[in-house]
Amino acid sequence: MRTSPTGTTCQPRLSNQLPQQGPCGPSGAGSLSLSGLRTTSGVAVPVYLPSPLAQTCRLLPKDAAKMPESAWKLVFYTMSWSYSSYLLFFTSYPFFHDPPSVFYNWKSGMTVPTDIALAYLIQGSFYGHSIYATVNMDAWRKDSAVMVVHHIITLALISFSYAFRYHNVGILVLFLHDINDILLEFTKLNVYLKSRGGGYHLLNDVLSNMGSVSFSISWFWFRLYWFPLKVLYATCVSSIQSVPNIPFYFFFNPLSRALRLMNISWFLFIVMFVVKVLKVKEVNDVREYEDEDGSMAAAELLRGARAGGGGGRGGDDAGHHSSPQGKHVQNGVTKEKHL
């Protein structure tokens, strides 16, 4: 394993890897792929699927390295949330509209319905992979340590809730959490794409702003309002009303409350993000560390703009505005405008 000049970790080539896949480095960072993890007999084997979109769009190296992660998560969370929505709203399960029903007729060792067991299999596999991916594959962020703890707690909740037949409330928890991840990854993808090719793309900027607003609202509504109202009330109050002396009461409820505390801590990042947007009119991930490669790339774009006679030197570096030549100035960098 080696590290490219852009800071991207290059994986050793597997024997069955496609030969035309580009190497890691400044020119091949865009070919980094969506990744999954297959675990066999305790051995983790990364599996890469080519992602030429990042290379085609000519993203900055730091964005090209992170785009596959966001694209993969967007696809997964969209499918998983759609499936949990189907279970809650298009089947006979009344758990969302009647949360106490998650414990109706509960008994130890009861049969888990096949459709719910399938959701558990998919989610458990994903979070098992996510623990490894956050540490070894994804870009490290300010909240990555909290993210690892979150994945461990989530995997524990998934595993033990299935084993001890708390699966009904588990589906409700997954539904209330996955929607926020869809909006988060959608927003991040558009943030990466709005500066592709060294230009400024208005459509992606608008979509990133819309996504960030939707993400902030949905986080508060789903995780800070509905989660305690529907899940914590059911597990803390309705459970002992329906099943007196229900087992593992003092095991699952502390984990659920720990999950709520992490949701509150992440909401502080969201507040910081909103404040930053209001101040600088720029949608960026406040969890990211300052990236040397990104600064170098921005400086290179600035030198190229000045050499080409681009305008915008006297503008406000914190915002966006248009120069007389029909170019867009963003954070002091003059870029071509595109829809």
Side-chain angles (χ1 to χ4, degrees):
M1 183 176 295
R2 59 187 178 86
T3 303
S4 70
T6 60
T8 303
T9 300
C10 299
Q11 301 290 339
R13 182 178 296 277
L14 302 178
S15 58
N16 60 347
Q17 194 169 1
L18 294 178
Q20 61 268 32
Q21 184 172 348
C24 294
S27 62
S31 64
L32 290 176
S33 58
L34 308 185
S35 57
L37 186 71
R38 186 176 303 160
T39 303
T40 306
S41 302
V43 179
V45 181
V47 180
Y48 294 96
L49 301 177
S51 178
L53 180 60
Q55 189 174 23
T56 302
C57 295
R58 295 188 295 134
L59 300 182
L60 295 176
K62 65 183 183 68
D63 293 337
K66 292 179 289 188
M67 180 183 177
E69 172 195 344
S70 293
W72 153 243
K73 289 181 178 179
L74 177 62
V75 171
F76 173 82
Y77 284 122
T78 299
M79 293 191 299
S80 63
W81 186 76
S82 298
Y83 185 63
S84 60
S85 300
Y86 163 76
L87 293 177
L88 291 174
F89 298 105
F90 297 97
T91 64
S92 58
Y93 299 125
F95 308 142
F96 182 81
H97 300 292
D98 184 20
S101 66
V102 298
F103 291 105
Y104 292 170
N105 302 317
W106 182 93
K107 57 184 178 181
S108 180
M110 62 188 295
T111 302
V112 180
T114 303
D115 49 5
I116 293 181
L118 178 61
Y120 264 74
L121 175 63
I122 295 172
Q123 292 280 354
S125 301
F126 175 78
Y127 281 102
H129 154 66
S130 296
I131 296 172
Y132 172 86
T134 302
V135 175
N136 297 293
M137 300 173 66
D138 298 343
W140 192 258
R141 300 181 174 91
K142 295 177 183 178
D143 69 335
S144 291
V146 178
M147 186 72 72
V148 172
V149 176
H150 167 270
H151 292 339
I152 293 174
I153 292 178
T154 302
L155 184 59
L157 284 171
I158 290 173
S159 302
F160 288 110
S161 65
Y162 183 87
F164 302 128
R165 301 305 188 256
Y166 283 47
H167 49 274
N168 292 341
V169 70
I171 292 298
L172 196 54
V173 172
L174 294 173
F175 167 77
L176 293 176
H177 283 71
D178 285 351
I179 179 63
N180 306 121
D181 294 296
I182 294 174
L183 295 171
L184 173 63
E185 303 306 334
F186 173 81
T187 301
K188 288 164 63 177
L189 281 175
N190 280 283
V191 168
Y192 303 151
L193 290 172
K194 71 180 181 181
S195 299
R196 64 185 185 273
Y200 167 73
H201 298 265
L202 177 62
L203 176 60
N204 295 111
D205 195 13
V206 172
L207 290 176
S208 66
N209 284 312
M210 292 175 58
S212 64
V213 172
S214 301
F215 169 73
S216 304
I217 295 173
S218 68
W219 188 281
F220 176 83
W221 193 259
F222 280 76
R223 297 198 180 196
L224 301 186
Y225 176 68
W226 268 347
F227 180 72
L229 181 67
K230 295 182 177 293
V231 174
L232 293 183
Y233 179 81
T235 58
C236 296
V237 179
S238 302
S239 59
I240 56 177
Q241 292 176 346
S242 300
V243 187
N245 300 319
I246 188 170
F248 308 107
Y249 179 88
F250 292 103
F251 175 77
F252 286 103
N253 282 300
L255 287 178
S256 299
R257 291 182 179 274
L259 189 60
R260 172 166 169 76
L261 289 176
M262 283 185 287
N263 287 335
I264 293 174
S265 70
W266 273 313
F267 189 69
L268 298 179
F269 277 105
I270 296 174
V271 172
M272 293 169 54
F273 159 80
V274 172
V275 171
K276 182 177 179 180
V277 170
L278 292 177
K279 284 184 176 180
V280 303
K281 304 297 188 296
E282 177 72 17
V283 177
N284 284 308
D285 194 343
V286 297
R287 304 171 304 155
E288 303 286 358
Y289 288 107
E290 293 297 328
D291 189 274
E292 181 179 357
D293 295 328
S295 301
M296 293 174 60
E300 184 66 26
L301 286 174
L302 181 57
R303 286 194 296 269
R306 288 174 174 173
R313 295 183 186 180
D316 182 6
D317 287 348
H320 301 259
H321 62 276
S322 297
S323 66
Q325 288 80 12
K327 296 186 177 182
H328 178 81
V329 179
Q330 175 182 341
N331 293 338
V333 179
T334 303
K335 302 180 179 181
E336 297 291 342
K337 293 181 66 175
H338 304 280
L339 289 178

PDB file of all heavy atoms in Angstrom, residues 7 11 36 55 82-83 95 104-105 140 159 165 184 187 196 213 229 237-238 250 270 300 337:
ATOM      1  N   GLY A   7      -2.296  12.618  -1.369  1.00  0.00           N
ATOM      2  CA  GLY A   7      -2.688  12.138  -0.059  1.00  0.00           C
ATOM      3  C   GLY A   7      -3.644  10.976  -0.131  1.00  0.00           C
ATOM      4  O   GLY A   7      -4.157  10.517   0.872  1.00  0.00           O
ATOM      5  N   GLN A  11      -4.536   1.392  -3.188  1.00  0.00           N
ATOM      6  CA  GLN A  11      -4.645   0.001  -2.814  1.00  0.00           C
ATOM      7  C   GLN A  11      -3.797  -0.852  -3.753  1.00  0.00           C
ATOM      8  O   GLN A  11      -3.674  -0.551  -4.934  1.00  0.00           O
ATOM      9  CB  GLN A  11      -6.116  -0.453  -2.900  1.00  0.00           C
ATOM     10  CG  GLN A  11      -7.052   0.344  -2.002  1.00  0.00           C
ATOM     11  CD  GLN A  11      -6.804   0.046  -0.544  1.00  0.00           C
ATOM     12  OE1 GLN A  11      -6.242  -0.995  -0.229  1.00  0.00           O
ATOM     13  NE2 GLN A  11      -7.189   0.951   0.343  1.00  0.00           N
ATOM     14  N   GLY A  36     -17.247  -1.506  -1.662  1.00  0.00           N
ATOM     15  CA  GLY A  36     -17.999  -2.340  -0.752  1.00  0.00           C
ATOM     16  C   GLY A  36     -17.013  -3.182   0.005  1.00  0.00           C
ATOM     17  O   GLY A  36     -15.840  -3.202  -0.299  1.00  0.00           O
ATOM     18  N   GLN A  55     -13.601  11.435 -12.865  1.00  0.00           N
ATOM     19  CA  GLN A  55     -12.542  11.790 -13.802  1.00  0.00           C
ATOM     20  C   GLN A  55     -13.103  12.584 -14.979  1.00  0.00           C
ATOM     21  O   GLN A  55     -12.495  13.549 -15.443  1.00  0.00           O
ATOM     22  CB  GLN A  55     -11.850  10.523 -14.292  1.00  0.00           C
ATOM     23  CG  GLN A  55     -10.588  10.783 -15.111  1.00  0.00           C
ATOM     24  CD  GLN A  55      -9.854   9.508 -15.446  1.00  0.00           C
ATOM     25  OE1 GLN A  55     -10.448   8.428 -15.453  1.00  0.00           O
ATOM     26  NE2 GLN A  55      -8.568   9.606 -15.709  1.00  0.00           N
ATOM     27  N   SER A  82     -36.063   3.548   1.254  1.00  0.00           N
ATOM     28  CA  SER A  82     -37.247   3.214   0.447  1.00  0.00           C
ATOM     29  C   SER A  82     -37.855   1.896   0.915  1.00  0.00           C
ATOM     30  O   SER A  82     -39.087   1.758   0.999  1.00  0.00           O
ATOM     31  CB  SER A  82     -36.871   3.126  -1.033  1.00  0.00           C
ATOM     32  OG  SER A  82     -36.383   4.359  -1.512  1.00  0.00           O
ATOM     33  N   TYR A  83     -36.995   0.934   1.255  1.00  0.00           N
ATOM     34  CA  TYR A  83     -37.501  -0.361   1.704  1.00  0.00           C
ATOM     35  C   TYR A  83     -38.162  -0.262   3.079  1.00  0.00           C
ATOM     36  O   TYR A  83     -39.244  -0.829   3.307  1.00  0.00           O
ATOM     37  CB  TYR A  83     -36.370  -1.387   1.742  1.00  0.00           C
ATOM     38  CG  TYR A  83     -36.839  -2.786   2.074  1.00  0.00           C
ATOM     39  CD1 TYR A  83     -37.716  -3.463   1.223  1.00  0.00           C
ATOM     40  CD2 TYR A  83     -36.415  -3.426   3.232  1.00  0.00           C
ATOM     41  CE1 TYR A  83     -38.155  -4.742   1.521  1.00  0.00           C
ATOM     42  CE2 TYR A  83     -36.848  -4.704   3.539  1.00  0.00           C
ATOM     43  CZ  TYR A  83     -37.723  -5.356   2.682  1.00  0.00           C
ATOM     44  OH  TYR A  83     -38.157  -6.625   2.990  1.00  0.00           O
ATOM     45  N   PHE A  95     -46.466   0.278  12.898  1.00  0.00           N
ATOM     46  CA  PHE A  95     -45.501   0.769  13.875  1.00  0.00           C
ATOM     47  C   PHE A  95     -45.320   2.280  13.854  1.00  0.00           C
ATOM     48  O   PHE A  95     -45.113   2.893  14.901  1.00  0.00           O
ATOM     49  CB  PHE A  95     -44.140   0.095  13.662  1.00  0.00           C
ATOM     50  CG  PHE A  95     -44.208  -1.400  13.605  1.00  0.00           C
ATOM     51  CD1 PHE A  95     -43.410  -2.120  12.721  1.00  0.00           C
ATOM     52  CD2 PHE A  95     -45.080  -2.099  14.426  1.00  0.00           C
ATOM     53  CE1 PHE A  95     -43.471  -3.497  12.659  1.00  0.00           C
ATOM     54  CE2 PHE A  95     -45.159  -3.488  14.370  1.00  0.00           C
ATOM     55  CZ  PHE A  95     -44.346  -4.185  13.485  1.00  0.00           C
ATOM     56  N   TYR A 104     -46.777  -5.180  20.911  1.00  0.00           N
ATOM     57  CA  TYR A 104     -47.992  -5.986  21.028  1.00  0.00           C
ATOM     58  C   TYR A 104     -47.667  -7.443  20.713  1.00  0.00           C
ATOM     59  O   TYR A 104     -46.977  -7.734  19.733  1.00  0.00           O
ATOM     60  CB  TYR A 104     -49.078  -5.488  20.077  1.00  0.00           C
ATOM     61  CG  TYR A 104     -49.651  -4.122  20.419  1.00  0.00           C
ATOM     62  CD1 TYR A 104     -50.495  -3.456  19.530  1.00  0.00           C
ATOM     63  CD2 TYR A 104     -49.356  -3.494  21.624  1.00  0.00           C
ATOM     64  CE1 TYR A 104     -51.022  -2.207  19.826  1.00  0.00           C
ATOM     65  CE2 TYR A 104     -49.881  -2.243  21.932  1.00  0.00           C
ATOM     66  CZ  TYR A 104     -50.700  -1.606  21.036  1.00  0.00           C
ATOM     67  OH  TYR A 104     -51.226  -0.365  21.334  1.00  0.00           O
ATOM     68  N   ASN A 105     -48.169  -8.342  21.524  1.00  0.00           N
ATOM     69  CA  ASN A 105     -47.982  -9.785  21.316  1.00  0.00           C
ATOM     70  C   ASN A 105     -46.505 -10.179  21.286  1.00  0.00           C
ATOM     71  O   ASN A 105     -46.138 -11.179  20.657  1.00  0.00           O
ATOM     72  CB  ASN A 105     -48.664 -10.246  20.022  1.00  0.00           C
ATOM     73  CG  ASN A 105     -50.150  -9.949  20.006  1.00  0.00           C
ATOM     74  OD1 ASN A 105     -50.842 -10.151  21.008  1.00  0.00           O
ATOM     75  ND2 ASN A 105     -50.649  -9.449  18.874  1.00  0.00           N
ATOM     76  N   TRP A 140     -10.868  11.201   6.555  1.00  0.00           N
ATOM     77  CA  TRP A 140     -11.007  11.423   7.996  1.00  0.00           C
ATOM     78  C   TRP A 140     -11.490  12.838   8.253  1.00  0.00           C
ATOM     79  O   TRP A 140     -10.940  13.807   7.743  1.00  0.00           O
ATOM     80  CB  TRP A 140      -9.682  11.182   8.700  1.00  0.00           C
ATOM     81  CG  TRP A 140      -9.840  11.111  10.193  1.00  0.00           C
ATOM     82  CD1 TRP A 140      -9.558  12.086  11.100  1.00  0.00           C
ATOM     83  CD2 TRP A 140     -10.342  10.003  10.943  1.00  0.00           C
ATOM     84  NE1 TRP A 140      -9.842  11.651  12.373  1.00  0.00           N
ATOM     85  CE2 TRP A 140     -10.326  10.378  12.314  1.00  0.00           C
ATOM     86  CE3 TRP A 140     -10.801   8.725  10.599  1.00  0.00           C
ATOM     87  CZ2 TRP A 140     -10.752   9.522  13.332  1.00  0.00           C
ATOM     88  CZ3 TRP A 140     -11.213   7.878  11.610  1.00  0.00           C
ATOM     89  CH2 TRP A 140     -11.198   8.275  12.962  1.00  0.00           C
ATOM     90  N   SER A 159     -27.849  -5.986  15.893  1.00  0.00           N
ATOM     91  CA  SER A 159     -27.584  -7.395  16.191  1.00  0.00           C
ATOM     92  C   SER A 159     -28.406  -7.891  17.376  1.00  0.00           C
ATOM     93  O   SER A 159     -29.086  -8.927  17.289  1.00  0.00           O
ATOM     94  CB  SER A 159     -26.085  -7.598  16.477  1.00  0.00           C
ATOM     95  OG  SER A 159     -25.303  -7.175  15.380  1.00  0.00           O
ATOM     96  N   ARG A 165     -35.424 -10.192  19.577  1.00  0.00           N
ATOM     97  CA  ARG A 165     -36.755  -9.973  19.002  1.00  0.00           C
ATOM     98  C   ARG A 165     -37.327  -8.583  19.296  1.00  0.00           C
ATOM     99  O   ARG A 165     -38.517  -8.436  19.541  1.00  0.00           O
ATOM    100  CB  ARG A 165     -37.727 -11.055  19.468  1.00  0.00           C
ATOM    101  CG  ARG A 165     -37.296 -12.476  19.087  1.00  0.00           C
ATOM    102  CD  ARG A 165     -37.048 -12.579  17.583  1.00  0.00           C
ATOM    103  NE  ARG A 165     -36.827 -13.953  17.139  1.00  0.00           N
ATOM    104  CZ  ARG A 165     -35.633 -14.455  16.817  1.00  0.00           C
ATOM    105  NH1 ARG A 165     -34.559 -13.682  16.890  1.00  0.00           N
ATOM    106  NH2 ARG A 165     -35.520 -15.700  16.399  1.00  0.00           N
ATOM    107  N   LEU A 184     -27.899  14.309   3.063  1.00  0.00           N
ATOM    108  CA  LEU A 184     -26.513  14.700   3.301  1.00  0.00           C
ATOM    109  C   LEU A 184     -25.634  14.350   2.110  1.00  0.00           C
ATOM    110  O   LEU A 184     -24.868  15.203   1.610  1.00  0.00           O
ATOM    111  CB  LEU A 184     -25.987  14.013   4.561  1.00  0.00           C
ATOM    112  CG  LEU A 184     -24.494  14.205   4.849  1.00  0.00           C
ATOM    113  CD1 LEU A 184     -24.178  15.678   5.087  1.00  0.00           C
ATOM    114  CD2 LEU A 184     -24.064  13.359   6.043  1.00  0.00           C
ATOM    115  N   THR A 187     -26.374  16.452  -0.985  1.00  0.00           N
ATOM    116  CA  THR A 187     -25.802  17.792  -0.869  1.00  0.00           C
ATOM    117  C   THR A 187     -24.301  17.768  -1.128  1.00  0.00           C
ATOM    118  O   THR A 187     -23.762  18.613  -1.855  1.00  0.00           O
ATOM    119  CB  THR A 187     -26.086  18.363   0.523  1.00  0.00           C
ATOM    120  OG1 THR A 187     -27.505  18.410   0.738  1.00  0.00           O
ATOM    121  CG2 THR A 187     -25.511  19.768   0.661  1.00  0.00           C
ATOM    122  N   ARG A 196     -16.655  21.585 -10.698  1.00  0.00           N
ATOM    123  CA  ARG A 196     -15.983  20.651 -11.604  1.00  0.00           C
ATOM    124  C   ARG A 196     -15.403  21.389 -12.803  1.00  0.00           C
ATOM    125  O   ARG A 196     -15.945  22.385 -13.265  1.00  0.00           O
ATOM    126  CB  ARG A 196     -16.946  19.571 -12.076  1.00  0.00           C
ATOM    127  CG  ARG A 196     -18.114  20.049 -12.915  1.00  0.00           C
ATOM    128  CD  ARG A 196     -19.075  18.908 -13.218  1.00  0.00           C
ATOM    129  NE  ARG A 196     -20.155  19.287 -14.121  1.00  0.00           N
ATOM    130  CZ  ARG A 196     -21.287  19.814 -13.739  1.00  0.00           C
ATOM    131  NH1 ARG A 196     -21.503  20.051 -12.449  1.00  0.00           N
ATOM    132  NH2 ARG A 196     -22.215  20.129 -14.623  1.00  0.00           N
ATOM    133  N   VAL A 213     -30.643  22.853   3.174  1.00  0.00           N
ATOM    134  CA  VAL A 213     -31.811  23.305   3.931  1.00  0.00           C
ATOM    135  C   VAL A 213     -32.700  22.112   4.297  1.00  0.00           C
ATOM    136  O   VAL A 213     -33.139  21.972   5.449  1.00  0.00           O
ATOM    137  CB  VAL A 213     -32.606  24.355   3.127  1.00  0.00           C
ATOM    138  CG1 VAL A 213     -33.926  24.675   3.819  1.00  0.00           C
ATOM    139  CG2 VAL A 213     -31.790  25.626   2.941  1.00  0.00           C
ATOM    140  N   LEU A 229     -40.156  10.868  20.288  1.00  0.00           N
ATOM    141  CA  LEU A 229     -41.609  10.775  20.383  1.00  0.00           C
ATOM    142  C   LEU A 229     -42.120   9.374  20.080  1.00  0.00           C
ATOM    143  O   LEU A 229     -43.018   8.863  20.762  1.00  0.00           O
ATOM    144  CB  LEU A 229     -42.257  11.783  19.424  1.00  0.00           C
ATOM    145  CG  LEU A 229     -43.792  11.837  19.410  1.00  0.00           C
ATOM    146  CD1 LEU A 229     -44.306  12.364  20.736  1.00  0.00           C
ATOM    147  CD2 LEU A 229     -44.293  12.696  18.252  1.00  0.00           C
ATOM    148  N   VAL A 237     -41.485   3.439  27.839  1.00  0.00           N
ATOM    149  CA  VAL A 237     -42.774   3.458  28.527  1.00  0.00           C
ATOM    150  C   VAL A 237     -43.684   2.325  28.054  1.00  0.00           C
ATOM    151  O   VAL A 237     -44.135   1.499  28.856  1.00  0.00           O
ATOM    152  CB  VAL A 237     -43.472   4.819  28.338  1.00  0.00           C
ATOM    153  CG1 VAL A 237     -44.825   4.836  29.046  1.00  0.00           C
ATOM    154  CG2 VAL A 237     -42.588   5.953  28.847  1.00  0.00           C
ATOM    155  N   SER A 238     -43.941   2.286  26.738  1.00  0.00           N
ATOM    156  CA  SER A 238     -44.897   1.302  26.215  1.00  0.00           C
ATOM    157  C   SER A 238     -44.422  -0.132  26.406  1.00  0.00           C
ATOM    158  O   SER A 238     -45.237  -1.043  26.560  1.00  0.00           O
ATOM    159  CB  SER A 238     -45.159   1.555  24.727  1.00  0.00           C
ATOM    160  OG  SER A 238     -45.648   2.861  24.516  1.00  0.00           O
ATOM    161  N   PHE A 250     -32.827  -2.515  30.414  1.00  0.00           N
ATOM    162  CA  PHE A 250     -31.736  -1.622  30.779  1.00  0.00           C
ATOM    163  C   PHE A 250     -30.492  -1.826  29.913  1.00  0.00           C
ATOM    164  O   PHE A 250     -29.429  -1.270  30.197  1.00  0.00           O
ATOM    165  CB  PHE A 250     -31.379  -1.820  32.258  1.00  0.00           C
ATOM    166  CG  PHE A 250     -32.467  -1.352  33.186  1.00  0.00           C
ATOM    167  CD1 PHE A 250     -33.302  -2.270  33.809  1.00  0.00           C
ATOM    168  CD2 PHE A 250     -32.672   0.003  33.402  1.00  0.00           C
ATOM    169  CE1 PHE A 250     -34.314  -1.842  34.652  1.00  0.00           C
ATOM    170  CE2 PHE A 250     -33.681   0.435  34.242  1.00  0.00           C
ATOM    171  CZ  PHE A 250     -34.506  -0.488  34.868  1.00  0.00           C
ATOM    172  N   ILE A 270     -24.503  20.902  12.465  1.00  0.00           N
ATOM    173  CA  ILE A 270     -25.457  21.471  11.514  1.00  0.00           C
ATOM    174  C   ILE A 270     -25.676  22.949  11.800  1.00  0.00           C
ATOM    175  O   ILE A 270     -25.748  23.773  10.874  1.00  0.00           O
ATOM    176  CB  ILE A 270     -26.781  20.696  11.574  1.00  0.00           C
ATOM    177  CG1 ILE A 270     -26.567  19.244  11.128  1.00  0.00           C
ATOM    178  CG2 ILE A 270     -27.850  21.353  10.717  1.00  0.00           C
ATOM    179  CD1 ILE A 270     -27.793  18.363  11.282  1.00  0.00           C
ATOM    180  N   GLU A 300      -3.742  27.384  -7.778  1.00  0.00           N
ATOM    181  CA  GLU A 300      -3.442  27.154  -9.191  1.00  0.00           C
ATOM    182  C   GLU A 300      -4.523  27.747 -10.085  1.00  0.00           C
ATOM    183  O   GLU A 300      -4.246  28.363 -11.110  1.00  0.00           O
ATOM    184  CB  GLU A 300      -3.304  25.654  -9.444  1.00  0.00           C
ATOM    185  CG  GLU A 300      -2.898  25.299 -10.877  1.00  0.00           C
ATOM    186  CD  GLU A 300      -1.492  25.774 -11.203  1.00  0.00           C
ATOM    187  OE1 GLU A 300      -0.667  25.916 -10.274  1.00  0.00           O
ATOM    188  OE2 GLU A 300      -1.224  26.030 -12.399  1.00  0.00           O
ATOM    189  N   LYS A 337     -18.596  30.346 -15.760  1.00  0.00           N
ATOM    190  CA  LYS A 337     -19.954  30.084 -15.324  1.00  0.00           C
ATOM    191  C   LYS A 337     -20.640  29.098 -16.252  1.00  0.00           C
ATOM    192  O   LYS A 337     -20.526  29.188 -17.461  1.00  0.00           O
ATOM    193  CB  LYS A 337     -20.758  31.386 -15.277  1.00  0.00           C
ATOM    194  CG  LYS A 337     -20.294  32.371 -14.207  1.00  0.00           C
ATOM    195  CD  LYS A 337     -21.141  33.625 -14.208  1.00  0.00           C
ATOM    196  CE  LYS A 337     -22.561  33.339 -13.803  1.00  0.00           C
ATOM    197  NZ  LYS A 337     -23.353  34.568 -13.687  1.00  0.00           N
TER     198      LYS A 337
END
